Amino acid sequence: MENNEKKLGLFPLVFFALGCMIASGIFTISGDFAAAGAHTLATLIGWGITFIGMLALTMCYYRLSLVRPDLTSGIYSYAKEGFGSYIGFNSAWGYWISAILAMVSFFVAFFGNLGGHFPIFGTGTSLTSIICASVILWLFVLLLMRGVSQATVINAFVVVAKVIPIVFLVIAGIFAGAFSWDTFTDNFTGAGSGISLFDQIKATIFTTVWIFIGIEGAVVISARAKDMKTAGNATVISFVSMFLLYFLISFLSMGVLPNEELAALPWPSMAGVMEAIVGPWGGTFVNVAVFISVGGALFTYMILCADSAFGPAKQGCFPSIFLKENKYGEPINSIIFSAVIVEFFLVLALMNEAAFQSCYYLSTISIMIPYMLSAFFAVKSCGTGELTEGLSGGKKAIVWFFAILGAIYGVWMLYASSISYVLICALLYAPGIILYIAKRKEDNDGPIFPKIYDKVVAVILIVMFVVAIVLLAKGIISPF
């Protein structure tokens, strides 16, 4: 694939990362925060935690991309390099499943939005919606098999089309006079809501992580980049740009409508906010943007899903069957296997009448472990001196600071998710053991679980899987 395709420069990589992030989440952040029970103060604190934590993760990826340019497709190769084959496999598996579930979420969002105009599509998981989603999915597969180079050009135009209405909302919110300080500060702490401030802050975690999924996109497809430094720069630029937009949208929304009204807005909540600012046509404007945004994200994530299977195979995490390429240099089996699993989850969504938020919660919980392991590897690399090599004084301290902060944020993400979602995470991760064993047997390279902690992790994962199945059967927890 590397020989048949022109390497990507800074701007294509930035647009790719932006394309991964700007999807459905940006159009729902205000309503999702409020619906989760977070009032203004908790939302602001949640944003503060997110900025510090995601910035730390971004800087970890940036520094690792400079120091370890050999570890392309970094988010999973970092875990393998730092903690061995089984932990590395779990990071790769979790990231792949997260990308797949993100695609499912986008399909549900896309057809759920259509359902607001054409009832036959329902909330996005009707039989008609799933059939149409399946058709689009396999059309994407056929297009991707023809080569990804033209897809990056398409993605750049789609990103621009997505950003226009978002920037318009920010400008309109600032200059149209719709922002009210009294509305913004009304019930600032959520007193009387029955939810403590700490629990309100925890309630922001799924939304904040979800809307930043894709920040590592430039690093994940770094094998397609001109060099790892370019991929790292693209990651930093993408993060800073998107955080500013996300925060401004959330901040302005809380000053346009009271928390209770934000929580009650139908999906996508940005349409309701825009309508409150400029009138009914504003909501229509946002709905058109949603179609463009989610549609573009679907194709971007089809690329990401394929690379999330092909990359680990190149790094020795997945079986070699994922390495097969067609005459265009595209990983044909990685594309097809990804599409098959997307199809499987689409059917599950149909059977469970899954809501959009439920789907993206699953994608979010799946990616938290790869994020956390990346930060842990950065800490370990600081300990060995590899990540701080050539640095002295303040620069070395800064690298240490971001690595430790990223690790703390990784632990916070899991803690704030609640035990029920951690168990659901085990439901998603445990089946990967089958693929891992197949890879180890293919390599015929020593014991299946080389390290003692590999065995411990595998046993814990299986036990959690069994517990989750029992609780699922009793209706105590539900993935949807």
Side-chain angles (χ1 to χ4, degrees):
M1 182 169 63
E2 296 167 336
N3 296 328
N4 296 338
E5 183 178 10
K6 183 179 179 181
K7 293 294 185 177
L8 301 178
L10 178 63
F11 288 108
L13 287 171
V14 168
F15 279 120
F16 184 86
L18 292 177
C20 290
M21 284 187 290
I22 305 176
S24 54
I26 196 168
F27 299 102
T28 66
I29 50 177
S30 302
D32 284 355
F33 282 138
H39 286 70
T40 307
L41 178 59
T43 299
L44 293 176
I45 295 173
W47 274 121
I49 293 172
T50 300
F51 176 77
I52 295 170
M54 280 294 177
L55 176 63
L57 282 175
T58 300
M59 296 309 295
C60 285
Y61 287 130
Y62 176 75
R63 184 61 187 168
L64 285 167
S65 69
L66 296 179
V67 174
R68 294 301 306 269
D70 56 310
L71 298 179
T72 56
S73 306
I75 197 166
Y76 19 78
S77 55
Y78 295 152
K80 181 186 177 186
E81 179 74 9
F83 310 107
S85 59
Y86 181 57
I87 303 300
F89 171 85
N90 275 298
S91 182
W93 173 265
Y95 191 82
W96 187 36
I97 293 299
S98 176
I100 285 169
L101 287 166
M103 277 204 72
V104 175
S105 302
F106 297 148
F107 273 124
V108 173
F110 186 82
F111 287 102
N113 198 11
L114 274 179
H117 308 281
F118 306 100
I120 192 173
F121 294 108
T123 58
T125 53
S126 68
L127 179 60
T128 302
S129 295
I130 299 305
I131 290 173
C132 292
S134 300
V135 172
I136 293 174
L137 170 66
W138 291 101
L139 286 175
F140 281 169
V141 167
L142 293 176
L143 180 59
L144 187 54
M145 285 182 179
R146 298 282 299 179
V148 74
S149 57
Q150 69 269 31
T152 58
V153 176
I154 295 171
N155 183 64
F157 285 108
V158 170
V159 168
V160 172
K162 295 176 187 180
V163 169
I164 289 174
I166 296 167
V167 173
F168 180 81
L169 171 65
V170 172
I171 295 173
I174 294 173
F175 294 105
F179 182 89
S180 166
W181 186 253
D182 290 338
T183 300
F184 183 79
T185 56
D186 181 52
N187 199 8
F188 193 67
T189 63
S193 66
I195 307 175
S196 69
L197 178 62
F198 184 67
D199 285 339
Q200 290 181 51
I201 295 169
K202 285 171 60 179
T204 67
I205 189 67
F206 278 109
T207 299
T208 53
V209 176
W210 165 248
I211 60 179
F212 278 108
I213 288 180
I215 186 60
E216 73 298 325
V219 175
V220 171
I221 66 164
S222 55
R224 302 179 186 269
K226 288 182 177 179
D227 52 60
M228 286 300 293
K229 183 177 181 180
T230 301
N233 288 336
T235 301
V236 175
I237 292 171
S238 303
F239 167 75
V240 173
S241 302
M242 290 317 304
F243 181 85
L244 290 173
L245 274 180
Y246 286 152
F247 179 76
L248 281 172
I249 290 169
S250 180
F251 184 89
L252 291 170
S253 297
M254 291 186 293
V256 172
L257 294 172
N259 189 268
E260 294 74 16
E261 292 185 31
L262 286 174
L265 287 175
W267 192 95
S269 56
M270 185 191 284
V273 175
M274 183 75 93
E275 186 170 337
I277 295 174
V278 298
W281 69 268
T284 303
F285 188 39
V286 170
N287 279 314
V288 172
V290 169
F291 287 128
I292 296 172
S293 178
V294 178
L298 280 168
F299 190 67
T300 301
Y301 264 81
M302 192 69 247
I303 299 171
L304 195 62
C305 286
D307 275 32
S308 298
F310 182 71
K314 291 182 67 177
Q315 297 290 333
C317 284
F318 282 6
S320 58
I321 190 172
F322 289 92
L323 291 172
K324 183 179 179 181
E325 298 177 83
N326 63 12
K327 65 180 181 179
Y328 297 101
E330 293 300 325
I332 182 171
N333 284 344
S334 295
I335 295 170
I336 292 174
F337 289 154
S338 297
V340 168
I341 300 178
V342 170
E343 191 71 67
F344 170 76
F345 279 109
L346 283 173
V347 174
L348 281 184
L350 168 65
M351 294 171 61
N352 291 274
E353 298 181 346
F356 162 68
Q357 283 82 1
S358 299
C359 293
Y360 87 62
Y361 279 11
L362 294 180
S363 178
T364 302
I365 193 68
S366 299
I367 206 170
M368 288 180 179
I369 289 176
Y371 281 166
M372 183 176 66
L373 289 173
S374 295
F376 284 176
F377 176 62
V379 173
K380 181 179 180 180
S381 298
C382 283
T384 62
E386 188 174 29
L387 207 61
T388 56
E389 186 177 359
L391 303 178
S392 60
K395 291 183 178 180
K396 181 181 291 188
I398 289 173
V399 172
W400 265 104
F401 174 75
F402 280 125
I404 293 173
L405 206 58
I408 293 172
Y409 183 64
V411 174
W412 160 257
M413 285 190 290
L414 284 179
Y415 169 74
S417 301
S418 80
I419 186 63
S420 61
Y421 271 100
V422 172
L423 288 172
I424 289 169
C425 186
L427 282 175
L428 298 170
Y429 271 76
I433 293 177
I434 299 172
L435 194 66
Y436 171 75
I437 292 174
K439 172 59 181 173
R440 295 296 294 176
K441 288 186 175 181
E442 176 184 274
D443 292 343
N444 193 24
D445 184 25
I448 290 176
F449 297 102
K451 304 178 186 297
I452 293 178
Y453 63 73
D454 289 338
K455 298 182 179 69
V456 173
V457 170
V459 169
I460 292 174
L461 191 56
I462 292 171
V463 170
M464 291 176 64
F465 177 82
V466 173
V467 171
I469 290 294
V470 172
L471 295 179
L472 188 64
K474 292 183 177 182
I476 297 176
I477 64 172
S478 172
F480 295 105

